[in-house]
PDB file of all heavy atoms in Angstrom:
ATOM      1  N   ALA F 202     128.780 148.786 171.881  1.00 98.00           N
ATOM      2  CA  ALA F 202     129.907 149.636 171.482  1.00 98.00           C
ATOM      3  C   ALA F 202     130.918 148.851 170.655  1.00 98.00           C
ATOM      4  O   ALA F 202     132.124 149.010 170.793  1.00 98.00           O
ATOM      5  CB  ALA F 202     130.588 150.233 172.714  1.00 98.00           C
ATOM      6  N   GLY F 203     130.381 147.990 169.782  1.00 97.00           N
ATOM      7  CA  GLY F 203     131.225 147.305 168.824  1.00 97.00           C
ATOM      8  C   GLY F 203     131.333 148.121 167.550  1.00 97.00           C
ATOM      9  O   GLY F 203     131.022 149.320 167.520  1.00 97.00           O
ATOM     10  N   VAL F 204     131.754 147.470 166.472  1.00 97.00           N
ATOM     11  CA  VAL F 204     131.970 148.169 165.207  1.00 97.00           C
ATOM     12  C   VAL F 204     130.690 148.839 164.707  1.00 97.00           C
ATOM     13  O   VAL F 204     130.682 150.032 164.382  1.00 97.00           O
ATOM     14  CB  VAL F 204     132.505 147.182 164.144  1.00 97.00           C
ATOM     15  CG1 VAL F 204     132.608 147.872 162.788  1.00 97.00           C
ATOM     16  CG2 VAL F 204     133.861 146.639 164.565  1.00 97.00           C
ATOM     17  N   ARG F 228     134.947 147.978 178.115  1.00 97.00           N
ATOM     18  CA  ARG F 228     135.684 148.763 177.133  1.00 97.00           C
ATOM     19  C   ARG F 228     134.941 148.710 175.807  1.00 97.00           C
ATOM     20  O   ARG F 228     134.095 147.849 175.570  1.00 97.00           O
ATOM     21  CB  ARG F 228     137.110 148.243 176.939  1.00 97.00           C
ATOM     22  CG  ARG F 228     137.196 146.772 176.575  1.00 97.00           C
ATOM     23  CD  ARG F 228     138.541 146.385 176.025  1.00 97.00           C
ATOM     24  NE  ARG F 228     138.756 146.963 174.694  1.00 97.00           N
ATOM     25  CZ  ARG F 228     139.801 146.643 173.920  1.00 97.00           C
ATOM     26  NH1 ARG F 228     140.719 145.795 174.347  1.00 97.00           N
ATOM     27  NH2 ARG F 228     139.931 147.172 172.722  1.00 97.00           N
ATOM     28  N   ILE F 229     135.253 149.651 174.930  1.00 98.00           N
ATOM     29  CA  ILE F 229     134.687 149.624 173.590  1.00 98.00           C
ATOM     30  C   ILE F 229     135.561 148.737 172.705  1.00 98.00           C
ATOM     31  O   ILE F 229     136.733 148.481 173.022  1.00 98.00           O
ATOM     32  CB  ILE F 229     134.566 151.035 172.979  1.00 98.00           C
ATOM     33  CG1 ILE F 229     135.962 151.644 172.732  1.00 98.00           C
ATOM     34  CG2 ILE F 229     133.743 151.933 173.882  1.00 98.00           C
ATOM     35  CD1 ILE F 229     135.940 152.949 171.938  1.00 98.00           C
ATOM     36  N   LEU F 230     135.010 148.243 171.625  1.00 97.00           N
ATOM     37  CA  LEU F 230     135.755 147.501 170.598  1.00 97.00           C
ATOM     38  C   LEU F 230     136.691 146.453 171.195  1.00 97.00           C
ATOM     39  O   LEU F 230     137.919 146.561 171.095  1.00 97.00           O
ATOM     40  CB  LEU F 230     136.551 148.477 169.730  1.00 97.00           C
ATOM     41  CG  LEU F 230     135.736 149.542 168.996  1.00 97.00           C
ATOM     42  CD1 LEU F 230     136.658 150.559 168.339  1.00 97.00           C
ATOM     43  CD2 LEU F 230     134.818 148.915 167.969  1.00 97.00           C
ATOM     44  N   PRO F 231     136.141 145.411 171.819  1.00 92.00           N
ATOM     45  CA  PRO F 231     136.974 144.429 172.512  1.00 92.00           C
ATOM     46  C   PRO F 231     137.985 143.690 171.645  1.00 92.00           C
ATOM     47  O   PRO F 231     138.978 143.185 172.162  1.00 92.00           O
ATOM     48  CB  PRO F 231     135.948 143.453 173.111  1.00 92.00           C
ATOM     49  CG  PRO F 231     134.695 143.675 172.336  1.00 92.00           C
ATOM     50  CD  PRO F 231     134.706 145.111 171.935  1.00 92.00           C
ATOM     51  N   GLU F 232     137.770 143.629 170.330  1.00 91.00           N
ATOM     52  CA  GLU F 232     138.700 142.911 169.453  1.00 91.00           C
ATOM     53  C   GLU F 232     139.814 143.801 168.911  1.00 91.00           C
ATOM     54  O   GLU F 232     140.717 143.319 168.233  1.00 91.00           O
ATOM     55  CB  GLU F 232     137.936 142.265 168.294  1.00 91.00           C
ATOM     56  CG  GLU F 232     136.958 141.167 168.746  1.00 91.00           C
ATOM     57  CD  GLU F 232     136.278 140.486 167.586  1.00 91.00           C
ATOM     58  OE1 GLU F 232     136.545 140.884 166.427  1.00 91.00           O
ATOM     59  OE2 GLU F 232     135.482 139.565 167.816  1.00 91.00           O
ATOM     60  N   ILE F 233     139.741 145.092 169.221  1.00 96.00           N
ATOM     61  CA  ILE F 233     140.731 146.048 168.717  1.00 96.00           C
ATOM     62  C   ILE F 233     141.826 146.258 169.757  1.00 96.00           C
ATOM     63  O   ILE F 233     141.608 146.124 170.959  1.00 96.00           O
ATOM     64  CB  ILE F 233     140.042 147.384 168.372  1.00 96.00           C
ATOM     65  CG1 ILE F 233     139.029 147.172 167.252  1.00 96.00           C
ATOM     66  CG2 ILE F 233     141.039 148.454 167.977  1.00 96.00           C
ATOM     67  CD1 ILE F 233     139.617 146.682 165.949  1.00 96.00           C
ATOM     68  N   ASP F 234     143.023 146.586 169.297  1.00 97.00           N
ATOM     69  CA  ASP F 234     144.133 146.906 170.189  1.00 97.00           C
ATOM     70  C   ASP F 234     143.672 147.869 171.277  1.00 97.00           C
ATOM     71  O   ASP F 234     143.041 148.895 170.994  1.00 97.00           O
ATOM     72  CB  ASP F 234     145.276 147.535 169.378  1.00 97.00           C
ATOM     73  CG  ASP F 234     146.473 147.884 170.229  1.00 97.00           C
ATOM     74  OD1 ASP F 234     147.308 147.011 170.456  1.00 97.00           O
ATOM     75  OD2 ASP F 234     146.540 149.050 170.682  1.00 97.00           O
ATOM     76  N   ASN F 235     143.955 147.538 172.518  1.00 97.00           N
ATOM     77  CA  ASN F 235     143.424 148.279 173.657  1.00 97.00           C
ATOM     78  C   ASN F 235     143.837 149.756 173.646  1.00 97.00           C
ATOM     79  O   ASN F 235     143.032 150.645 173.952  1.00 97.00           O
ATOM     80  CB  ASN F 235     143.874 147.618 174.961  1.00 97.00           C
ATOM     81  CG  ASN F 235     143.197 148.216 176.169  1.00 97.00           C
ATOM     82  OD1 ASN F 235     141.974 148.255 176.251  1.00 97.00           O
ATOM     83  ND2 ASN F 235     143.991 148.701 177.118  1.00 97.00           N
ATOM     84  N   ALA F 238     141.784 151.552 170.956  1.00 98.00           N
ATOM     85  CA  ALA F 238     140.381 151.689 171.363  1.00 98.00           C
ATOM     86  C   ALA F 238     140.217 152.752 172.441  1.00 98.00           C
ATOM     87  O   ALA F 238     139.272 153.552 172.407  1.00 98.00           O
ATOM     88  CB  ALA F 238     139.851 150.347 171.853  1.00 98.00           C
ATOM     89  N   GLY F 333     134.121 133.468 162.979  1.00 95.00           N
ATOM     90  CA  GLY F 333     135.354 134.248 162.952  1.00 95.00           C
ATOM     91  C   GLY F 333     135.060 135.714 162.744  1.00 95.00           C
ATOM     92  O   GLY F 333     134.071 136.244 163.258  1.00 95.00           O
ATOM     93  N   LYS F 334     135.895 136.380 161.974  1.00 95.00           N
ATOM     94  CA  LYS F 334     135.711 137.804 161.697  1.00 95.00           C
ATOM     95  C   LYS F 334     134.678 137.967 160.589  1.00 95.00           C
ATOM     96  O   LYS F 334     134.885 137.474 159.478  1.00 95.00           O
ATOM     97  CB  LYS F 334     137.043 138.444 161.296  1.00 95.00           C
ATOM     98  CG  LYS F 334     138.098 138.391 162.393  1.00 95.00           C
ATOM     99  CD  LYS F 334     139.412 139.021 161.934  1.00 95.00           C
ATOM    100  CE  LYS F 334     140.438 139.002 163.056  1.00 95.00           C
ATOM    101  NZ  LYS F 334     141.732 139.608 162.640  1.00 95.00           N
ATOM    102  N   LEU F 335     133.584 138.655 160.899  1.00 96.00           N
ATOM    103  CA  LEU F 335     132.515 138.837 159.922  1.00 96.00           C
ATOM    104  C   LEU F 335     132.812 140.075 159.074  1.00 96.00           C
ATOM    105  O   LEU F 335     132.289 141.160 159.303  1.00 96.00           O
ATOM    106  CB  LEU F 335     131.162 138.956 160.634  1.00 96.00           C
ATOM    107  CG  LEU F 335     130.820 137.852 161.642  1.00 96.00           C
ATOM    108  CD1 LEU F 335     129.383 138.001 162.126  1.00 96.00           C
ATOM    109  CD2 LEU F 335     131.048 136.463 161.059  1.00 96.00           C
ATOM    110  N   LEU F 336     133.668 139.896 158.085  1.00 97.00           N
ATOM    111  CA  LEU F 336     134.137 140.991 157.241  1.00 97.00           C
ATOM    112  C   LEU F 336     133.854 140.670 155.779  1.00 97.00           C
ATOM    113  O   LEU F 336     134.142 139.558 155.320  1.00 97.00           O
ATOM    114  CB  LEU F 336     135.650 141.196 157.421  1.00 97.00           C
ATOM    115  CG  LEU F 336     136.129 141.510 158.841  1.00 97.00           C
ATOM    116  CD1 LEU F 336     137.645 141.391 158.926  1.00 97.00           C
ATOM    117  CD2 LEU F 336     135.676 142.907 159.246  1.00 97.00           C
ATOM    118  N   ALA F 365     141.176 144.837 159.025  1.00 98.00           N
ATOM    119  CA  ALA F 365     139.840 145.207 159.497  1.00 98.00           C
ATOM    120  C   ALA F 365     139.770 146.719 159.582  1.00 98.00           C
ATOM    121  O   ALA F 365     140.738 147.369 159.996  1.00 98.00           O
ATOM    122  CB  ALA F 365     139.548 144.579 160.851  1.00 98.00           C
ATOM    123  N   ILE F 367     137.257 150.212 160.684  1.00 98.00           N
ATOM    124  CA  ILE F 367     136.099 150.747 161.395  1.00 98.00           C
ATOM    125  C   ILE F 367     135.964 152.208 160.991  1.00 98.00           C
ATOM    126  O   ILE F 367     136.887 153.001 161.171  1.00 98.00           O
ATOM    127  CB  ILE F 367     136.275 150.616 162.918  1.00 98.00           C
ATOM    128  CG1 ILE F 367     136.545 149.163 163.303  1.00 98.00           C
ATOM    129  CG2 ILE F 367     135.030 151.130 163.650  1.00 98.00           C
ATOM    130  CD1 ILE F 367     136.897 148.968 164.769  1.00 98.00           C
ATOM    131  N   SER F 375     143.285 147.961 161.182  1.00 98.00           N
ATOM    132  CA  SER F 375     144.273 147.107 161.832  1.00 98.00           C
ATOM    133  C   SER F 375     144.495 145.840 161.027  1.00 98.00           C
ATOM    134  O   SER F 375     143.648 145.430 160.219  1.00 98.00           O
ATOM    135  CB  SER F 375     143.809 146.740 163.252  1.00 98.00           C
ATOM    136  OG  SER F 375     142.569 146.040 163.208  1.00 98.00           O
ATOM    137  N   GLY F 377     146.800 141.881 161.586  1.00 98.00           N
ATOM    138  CA  GLY F 377     147.722 141.088 162.396  1.00 98.00           C
ATOM    139  C   GLY F 377     147.385 141.132 163.874  1.00 98.00           C
ATOM    140  O   GLY F 377     146.247 141.380 164.271  1.00 98.00           O
ATOM    141  N   MET F 378     148.393 140.921 164.690  1.00 98.00           N
ATOM    142  CA  MET F 378     148.201 140.755 166.130  1.00 98.00           C
ATOM    143  C   MET F 378     148.075 142.080 166.884  1.00 98.00           C
ATOM    144  O   MET F 378     148.650 143.094 166.484  1.00 98.00           O
ATOM    145  CB  MET F 378     149.378 139.979 166.728  1.00 98.00           C
ATOM    146  CG  MET F 378     149.408 138.511 166.391  1.00 98.00           C
ATOM    147  SD  MET F 378     150.755 137.670 167.287  1.00 98.00           S
ATOM    148  CE  MET F 378     150.226 135.958 167.133  1.00 98.00           C
ATOM    149  N   THR F 379     147.360 142.015 168.005  1.00 97.00           N
ATOM    150  CA  THR F 379     147.385 143.097 168.990  1.00 97.00           C
ATOM    151  C   THR F 379     148.473 142.770 170.010  1.00 97.00           C
ATOM    152  O   THR F 379     149.034 141.672 170.016  1.00 97.00           O
ATOM    153  CB  THR F 379     146.034 143.219 169.712  1.00 97.00           C
ATOM    154  OG1 THR F 379     145.809 142.019 170.475  1.00 97.00           O
ATOM    155  CG2 THR F 379     144.893 143.413 168.722  1.00 97.00           C
ATOM    156  N   ASP F 381     147.985 142.266 173.187  1.00 96.00           N
ATOM    157  CA  ASP F 381     147.473 141.200 174.047  1.00 96.00           C
ATOM    158  C   ASP F 381     147.567 139.841 173.370  1.00 96.00           C
ATOM    159  O   ASP F 381     147.891 138.830 174.011  1.00 96.00           O
ATOM    160  CB  ASP F 381     146.021 141.488 174.435  1.00 96.00           C
ATOM    161  CG  ASP F 381     145.892 142.664 175.387  1.00 96.00           C
ATOM    162  OD1 ASP F 381     146.916 143.043 175.994  1.00 96.00           O
ATOM    163  OD2 ASP F 381     144.777 143.204 175.518  1.00 96.00           O
ATOM    164  N   GLU F 382     147.277 139.791 172.076  1.00 97.00           N
ATOM    165  CA  GLU F 382     147.366 138.515 171.347  1.00 97.00           C
ATOM    166  C   GLU F 382     148.802 138.023 171.258  1.00 97.00           C
ATOM    167  O   GLU F 382     149.065 136.819 171.386  1.00 97.00           O
ATOM    168  CB  GLU F 382     146.770 138.678 169.950  1.00 97.00           C
ATOM    169  CG  GLU F 382     145.253 138.823 169.950  1.00 97.00           C
ATOM    170  CD  GLU F 382     144.691 139.242 168.613  1.00 97.00           C
ATOM    171  OE1 GLU F 382     145.460 139.750 167.755  1.00 97.00           O
ATOM    172  OE2 GLU F 382     143.473 139.088 168.400  1.00 97.00           O
ATOM    173  N   HIS F 427     148.352 148.895 163.641  1.00 98.00           N
ATOM    174  CA  HIS F 427     147.082 149.496 164.036  1.00 98.00           C
ATOM    175  C   HIS F 427     147.152 151.001 163.767  1.00 98.00           C
ATOM    176  O   HIS F 427     148.101 151.667 164.162  1.00 98.00           O
ATOM    177  CB  HIS F 427     146.814 149.217 165.514  1.00 98.00           C
ATOM    178  CG  HIS F 427     146.933 147.759 165.845  1.00 98.00           C
ATOM    179  ND1 HIS F 427     145.898 146.877 165.708  1.00 98.00           N
ATOM    180  CD2 HIS F 427     148.008 147.023 166.253  1.00 98.00           C
ATOM    181  CE1 HIS F 427     146.306 145.661 166.042  1.00 98.00           C
ATOM    182  NE2 HIS F 427     147.583 145.729 166.360  1.00 98.00           N
TER     183      HIS F 427
END
Side-chain angles (χ1 to χ4, degrees):
V204 175
R228 55 164 290 188
I229 67 171
L230 301 172
E232 295 183 359
I233 297 298
D234 181 85
N235 188 56
K334 297 179 178 180
L335 308 187
L336 301 168
I367 304 173
S375 60
M378 287 186 162
T379 65
D381 290 343
E382 289 169 342
H427 308 274

